[in-house]
C-alpha cells in the first residue's frame, strides 16, 4: 500500500534521549524546557520576530481570532481544510467566502473588496499547499479598509517570499506541525506575529489567561503543548533539510514522469521558494480524475481529493453557496502521494498508472 502521506520519524534512539530527560525532570507540560527550546530553534530557523508553540494549528487560528478581538464577518477562502472556516464560526464570527484564483488556488485578491461590508473585521486567507497568497494586494486592501489579516499557513513551513519568511506577513500567521506535515511534532501548531503586544496577549491566552499564580490578565484557554510533543519536534529538527531535499527530488521526478499527462499544477508564486509539501494535479475533467483515482486505489495507492468538497457547500453550520471556480477545481484536483519514505520507483509506478488511464 502507498498512502497519500506518511509521517517522518527520526531514529528511535534520538527521540528516547529526550524522553530520558523528561523522566528525570518530571516536567511533562506547562511550557517546559523542551517546549521553550523548540520555540527558540524554530524562531531562528524561520527568521520570525515572535513565535509561540501551541497545541495544534486549529487552536492557533482560534487564538489568533480571539487575540485580535474580531467580531462580525471574516472574509475567507472556501478552498482549504475545514479548520480555517470552523475556527471562524467557533469564535462567534461569520465566514464570508470569496472565490479562488484558478491559477494559484488561493483566495482571489481581486474579489475581496466586493465582499467587504460594514460588518467585516478581517481577512483570513490560506496559503494553499504552502503557495503564498497575493500578500501585497491583501495588505493594501486591509490597510484601506482598516481590517486585520490572519494567514493560515498550515502547509507553508519554511516558505520564503520576497526574501523573508511567509510568516512575516499579516497581523498573525499560523502553522500546523501535525504528523502529516513535512515537519511535525506529532501534534502541534505555531503562532507568529511581529507585534510584541499581540505576543504577550497570545501568551496569556495560551495559558488560561494566567498572569501569575493567583491573577489573570486575559480570557484564556489551554493552548499549551507537552514536552513529549516538543521532544519529537526537536528530534525532527535536524532532518528538516534532508526532508526538503528528498521531497524536492520526488517532486521533480513526478514532473518528469507526468510531463505528458493532460493535467496541470497550481501556479506557484513567482517570488517564493517551494517547500514541496504536496503534489496536487488538476485534471482536465472530473471524469478523468475519478477514473485515475479508481485506478490508483485498485493498485493499493491512495491519493486524496484535497480539498473536496468546497467548504462553501458542505458544512452544516454554514449557509451553502456556489463558488464557480472553487467548485470546478475541487471536482478535478487530486493530491498524489508525497512523503520522505516514498521511493522513486513508487513515483514511477504512480505516473505509469495515471498515463495508462489517459492513454486507454
Amino acid at each position: 500500500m502507498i498512502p497519500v502521506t506518511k509521517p517522518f520519524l527520526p531514529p528511535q534512539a534520538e527521540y528516547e534521549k529526550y524522553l530520558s530527560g523528561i523522566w528525570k525532570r518530571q516536567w511533562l507540560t506547562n511550557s517546559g524546557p523542551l517546549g521553550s527550546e523548540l520555540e527558540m530553534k524554530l524562531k531562528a530557523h524561520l527568521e520570525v520576530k515572535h513565535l509561540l508553540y501551541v497545541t495544534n494549528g486549529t487552536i492557533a487560528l482560534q487564538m489568533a481570532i480571539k487575540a485580535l478581538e474580531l467580531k462580525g464577518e471574516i472574509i475567507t477562502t472556501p478552498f482549504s481544510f475545514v479548520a480555517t472556516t470552523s475556527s471562524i464560526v467557533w469564535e462567534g464570527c461569520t465566514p464570508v467566502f470569496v472565490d479562488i484564483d484558478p491559477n494559484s488556488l488561493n483566495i482571489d485578491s481581486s474579489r475581496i473588496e466586493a465582499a467587504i461590508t460594514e460588518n467585516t473585521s478581517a481577512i483570513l486567507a490560506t496559503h494553499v499547499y504552502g503557495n503564498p497568497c497575493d500578500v501585497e494586494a491583501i495588505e493594501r486592501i486591509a490597510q484601506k479598509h482598516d481590517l486585520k489579516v490572519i494567514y493560515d499557513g498550515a502547509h507553508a513551513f519554511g516558505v520564503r517570499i520576497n526574501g523573508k519568511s511567509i510568516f512575516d506577513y499579516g497581523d498573525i500567521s499560523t502553522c500546523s506541525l501535525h504528523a502529516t506535515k513535512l515537519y511535525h511534532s506529532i501534534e502541534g501548531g505555531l503562532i507568529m506575529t511581529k507585534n510584541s503586544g499581540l505576543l504577550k496577549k497570545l501568551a496569556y491566552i495560551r495559558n488560561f489567561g494566567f498572569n501569575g499564580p493567583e491573577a489573570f490578565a486575559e480570557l484564556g484557554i489551554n493552548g499549551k503543548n507537552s514536552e513529549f510533543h516538543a521532544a519529537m519536534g526537536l528530534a525532527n529538527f535536524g532532518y528538516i533539510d534532508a526532508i526538503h531535499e528528498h521531497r524536492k527530488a520526488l517532486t521533480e521526478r513526478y514532473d518528469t514522469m507526468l510531463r505528458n499527462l493532460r493535467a496541470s499544477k497550481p501556479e506557484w508564486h513567482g517570488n517564493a521558494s517551494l517547500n514541496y509539501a504536496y503534489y496536487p494535479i488538476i485534471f482536465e475533467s472530473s471524469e478523468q480524475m475519478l477514473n485515475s483515482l479508481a485506478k490508483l486505489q485498485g493498485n493499493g495507492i491512495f491519493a486524496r481529493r484535497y480539498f473536496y468538497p468546497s467548504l462553501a457547500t458542505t458544512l452544516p453550520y454554514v449557509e451553502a453557496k456556489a463558488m464557480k471556480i472553487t467548485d470546478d477545481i475541487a471536482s478535478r484536483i487530486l493530491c498524489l502521494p508525497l512523503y520522505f519514505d516514498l521511493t522513486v520507483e513508487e513515483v514511477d509506478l504512480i505516473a505509469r498508472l495515471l498515463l495508462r488511464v489517459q492513454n486507454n
Side-chain angles (χ1 to χ4, degrees):
M1 183 187 81
I2 301 176
V4 68
T5 190
K6 185 185 292 185
F8 173 85
L9 287 173
Q12 188 171 336
E14 294 183 16
Y15 182 59
E16 289 176 347
K17 286 181 182 178
Y18 288 104
L19 297 188
S20 63
I22 295 174
W23 251 259
K24 291 176 183 177
R25 289 185 297 272
Q26 296 186 336
W27 191 345
L28 309 185
T29 184
N30 289 358
S31 302
L34 297 185
S36 297
E37 181 183 353
L38 183 61
E39 281 186 341
M40 296 304 294
K41 283 193 170 184
L42 289 174
K43 177 182 173 182
H45 177 79
L46 296 171
E47 297 182 359
V48 293
K49 187 172 182 180
H50 301 302
L51 176 150
L52 292 177
Y53 177 54
V54 297
T55 314
N56 53 59
T58 304
I59 288 290
L61 287 171
Q62 294 169 0
M63 290 173 60
I65 294 169
K66 187 68 74 179
L68 292 171
E69 300 179 4
L70 302 182
K71 306 291 183 184
E73 299 172 350
I74 298 177
I75 291 173
T76 192
T77 173
F79 193 72
S80 184
F81 185 63
V82 63
T84 309
T85 297
S86 66
S87 295
I88 294 172
V89 177
W90 193 268
E91 291 301 324
C93 297
T94 301
V96 175
F97 293 114
V98 168
D99 212 347
I100 62 173
D101 176 82
N103 299 311
S104 70
L105 310 190
N106 289 321
I107 192 169
D108 188 339
S109 59
S110 70
R111 299 172 182 260
I112 290 176
E113 283 197 279
I116 296 174
T117 73
E118 60 183 11
N119 297 317
T120 306
S121 61
I123 301 166
L124 199 173
T126 299
H127 302 303
V128 177
Y129 307 131
N131 185 16
C133 296
D134 188 347
V135 292
E136 292 91 351
I138 291 173
E139 179 64 21
R140 288 194 297 270
I141 294 167
Q143 290 183 354
K144 178 180 177 181
H145 296 276
D146 193 25
L147 303 177
K148 301 298 184 182
V149 178
I150 300 171
Y151 284 113
D152 181 346
H155 310 157
F157 185 89
V159 172
R160 298 181 68 82
I161 177 173
N162 300 322
K164 61 181 182 179
S165 171
I166 189 61
F167 300 132
D168 207 33
Y169 292 85
D171 293 282
I172 296 177
S173 286
T174 68
C175 185
S176 172
L177 301 187
H178 184 262
T180 57
K181 300 302 187 286
L182 56 89
Y183 169 76
H184 75 89
S185 62
I186 308 173
E187 287 278 6
L190 304 175
I191 300 179
M192 289 141 290
T193 180
K194 293 176 289 186
N195 187 308
S196 57
L198 270 179
L199 173 74
K200 186 175 182 180
K201 189 170 187 176
L202 287 163
Y204 285 136
I205 290 172
R206 178 176 64 172
N207 188 29
F208 302 100
F210 274 114
N211 183 21
E214 299 173 351
F216 299 90
E218 296 282 347
L219 172 66
I221 57 172
N222 185 2
K224 304 185 302 298
N225 212 324
S226 80
E227 289 289 272
F228 294 91
H229 292 86
M232 181 59 75
L234 289 168
N236 281 339
F237 189 84
Y239 295 91
I240 290 174
D241 290 342
I243 292 168
H244 180 271
E245 287 305 311
H246 187 59
R247 294 176 79 107
K248 177 183 179 182
L250 293 174
T251 296
E252 291 174 347
R253 185 66 177 186
Y254 267 130
D255 288 346
T256 298
M257 294 299 295
L258 296 175
R259 62 188 179 277
N260 294 321
L261 186 71
R262 291 194 294 272
S264 62
K265 293 173 62 180
E267 184 178 304
W268 201 265
H269 194 292
N271 295 324
S273 62
L274 286 83
N275 66 354
Y276 308 101
Y278 297 88
Y279 196 91
I281 54 174
I282 308 165
F283 290 90
E284 291 183 341
S285 69
S286 58
E287 180 183 18
Q288 182 191 8
M289 185 279 299
L290 290 170
N291 289 340
S292 298
L293 179 61
K295 184 69 169 180
L296 294 175
Q297 291 176 339
N299 285 270
I301 300 166
F302 296 94
R304 185 178 179 186
R305 301 181 69 182
Y306 198 55
F307 303 98
Y308 174 84
S310 163
L311 295 177
T313 63
T314 190
L315 301 178
Y317 45 84
V318 174
E319 184 178 352
K321 183 179 181 180
M323 291 272 156
K324 182 178 179 181
I325 298 172
T326 299
D327 294 343
D328 175 51
I329 294 293
S331 73
R332 298 187 286 121
I333 198 161
L334 196 65
C335 281
L336 301 182
L338 184 62
Y339 49 90
F340 186 78
D341 289 338
L342 189 69
T343 66
V344 170
E345 291 74 19
E346 288 170 327
V347 168
D348 290 353
L349 171 62
I350 293 165
R352 287 196 301 270
L353 290 170
L354 292 174
L355 290 167
R356 192 173 301 166
V357 172
Q358 171 181 287
N359 297 334
N360 291 338

